Amino acid sequence: MAIRFDGRVAIVTGAGNGLGRAHALGLASRGAKVVVNDFGGARDGTGGSLTPAESVVEEIRKAGGTAMADGADVSKFGQVTAMVERATKEWGSVDLLCANAGILRDKSFGKMDVADFAKVLDVHLVGTFYCCKAVWDGMRERNYGRIVLTTSSSGLFGNFGQANYGAAKAGMVGLMNVLAEEGRKNNVRVNTISPTAATRMTEELLPPQALALMKPEAITPAVEYLLSEDAPTRTIMGAGAGSFAVIKIIETEGV
Ligand code: ADP
C-alpha cells in the first residue's frame, strides 16, 4: 500500500534546497503537514523576495498541500525549540523529523582550523541533537515518532578534505544508535540515510555526467519509508539516485 502521512506533522530542516526540498514536497504530497525549515535568505540576483523555504512552501501549497516556512538556524537551540513550539501550536504535534540541514567547509586537515571544524560540527551534529531534543519528549509522550537523520558515506568511509564533515556525520550515526534504543519502547524510531544525489554539496565533487543521473527526488522514497508507520529502527540506509550509488569518494587534492 502506498505510504500516507495524513494527520502527521513533519519538520524537514534544510528544506529550501536539494534533498530537504525534495523530501518536504514528497511528504506533503502524501498528506503530511510540513514545516519547511531553512535559515537561508532570499537568493541574490533572482529578483524574488521569497526565502528558499518560502518558495518551497509556495510549491507545496500550489500542489494542494499544507506547509509553513520556518527560518530557524538549527545550530541555535532557542530557535529550534521556537520552531517546534510554533508547529505544535498550529498543528498539535510534531510526529516526523527529517534532520537534513547542512553546510560544508572542506579543507585538507593541515589547512583546517578549529573554527572550520567546530562550525561544521555545530550545524550537523549539535544542530541535529537540538532538533531531536526539541521533539523528543512530545514524541515519547504521544507514543509516536519517526526521525531520520541525513548522514553520508563520508561519515562511514571518509572523504579527502572532510575531517569536519565526516566526524559530524559519524557522530550523527552514534546519536541515532542511542536514540533508536532509548525511543524504542515509546514507538519512536530513529534511522539514518546516507544519500548519493546531485545537490550543492556534491556538485563540486562529482562529474557532470554522474550528477545528471542523480536527482534528489530519487532519494525521497527511502526517506518516506523511514518516516512511515512501518519504519524500522536503528538502520543505516544507503540510497543512491540514478543508476549507481557512490559509496566512496576520496582522493581529491587541492582543498
Ligand atoms: P543537500 O541537498 O545535500 O542537503 P544543500 O546545500 O542543497 O545540500 O541543502 C542544505 C540546506 O541546509 C541549504 O538550503 C542550507 O541553507 C540549509 N542550512 C544550512 N545550515 C543551516 C542551519 N544552520 N539551519 C537551517 N538550515 C541550514
Side-chain angles (χ1 to χ4, degrees):
M1 221 176 61
I3 292 172
R4 294 290 310 175
F5 297 104
D6 303 284
R8 299 286 180 209
V9 176
I11 292 179
V12 184
T13 69
N17 293 288
L19 289 164
R21 170 183 166 276
H23 303 337
L25 287 164
L27 293 170
S29 76
R30 294 179 184 277
K33 299 187 183 85
V34 181
V35 178
V36 177
N37 161 266
D38 203 296
F39 79 160
R43 287 191 188 96
D44 294 338
T46 57
S49 56
L50 294 184
T51 64
E54 287 165 349
S55 337
V56 174
V57 166
E58 275 219 333
E59 282 186 81
I60 290 174
R61 290 192 180 142
K62 273 192 194 133
T66 306
M68 67 163 91
D70 188 282
D73 175 343
V74 298
S75 67
K76 304 273 188 317
F77 190 49
Q79 295 185 23
V80 173
T81 52
M83 167 171 71
V84 171
E85 277 162 21
R86 227 180 113 212
T88 309
K89 200 166 163 215
E90 189 77 13
W91 293 328
S93 61
V94 176
D95 313 295
L96 318 172
L97 168 66
C98 175
N100 180 79
I103 57 164
L104 291 177
R105 282 208 185 172
D106 289 10
K107 281 180 191 166
S108 57
F109 194 62
K111 293 182 195 154
M112 187 175 289
D113 63 22
V114 174
D116 297 322
F117 190 77
K119 182 71 199 164
V120 170
L121 267 283
D122 226 30
V123 174
H124 290 273
L125 182 55
V126 181
T128 298
F129 165 80
Y130 288 157
C131 292
C132 292
K133 184 81 188 150
V135 299
W136 190 249
D137 288 347
M139 286 182 173
R140 290 180 74 230
E141 276 156 25
R142 287 188 308 278
N143 234 39
Y144 195 92
R146 300 286 182 264
I147 297 175
V148 61
L149 312 181
T150 304
T151 55
S152 167
S153 57
S154 188
L156 302 173
F157 310 115
N159 282 334
F160 195 100
Q162 294 193 330
N164 48 7
Y165 182 73
K169 291 306 191 186
M172 287 169 70
V173 174
L175 183 64
M176 175 281 285
N177 278 317
V178 174
L179 298 193
E181 292 310 329
E182 295 193 3
R184 208 181 267 279
K185 72 173 190 308
N186 294 102
N187 192 23
V188 179
R189 302 184 194 169
V190 192
N191 296 286
T192 63
I193 188 151
S194 176
T196 304
T199 67
R200 293 192 305 182
M201 293 218 183
T202 50
E203 70 190 4
E204 285 164 23
L205 296 171
L206 296 171
Q209 310 88 294
L211 293 171
L213 295 170
M214 295 161 49
K215 302 273 176 263
E217 294 75 26
I219 305 298
T220 299
V223 169
E224 290 170 345
Y225 168 62
L226 295 177
L227 291 173
S228 71
E229 192 88 27
D230 298 328
T233 198
R234 208 176 166 176
T235 303
I236 299 170
M237 185 178 279
S243 57
F244 62 91
V246 176
I247 305 296
K248 208 172 175 191
I249 310 169
I250 313 182
E251 288 91 354
T252 318
E253 275 287 0
V255 284

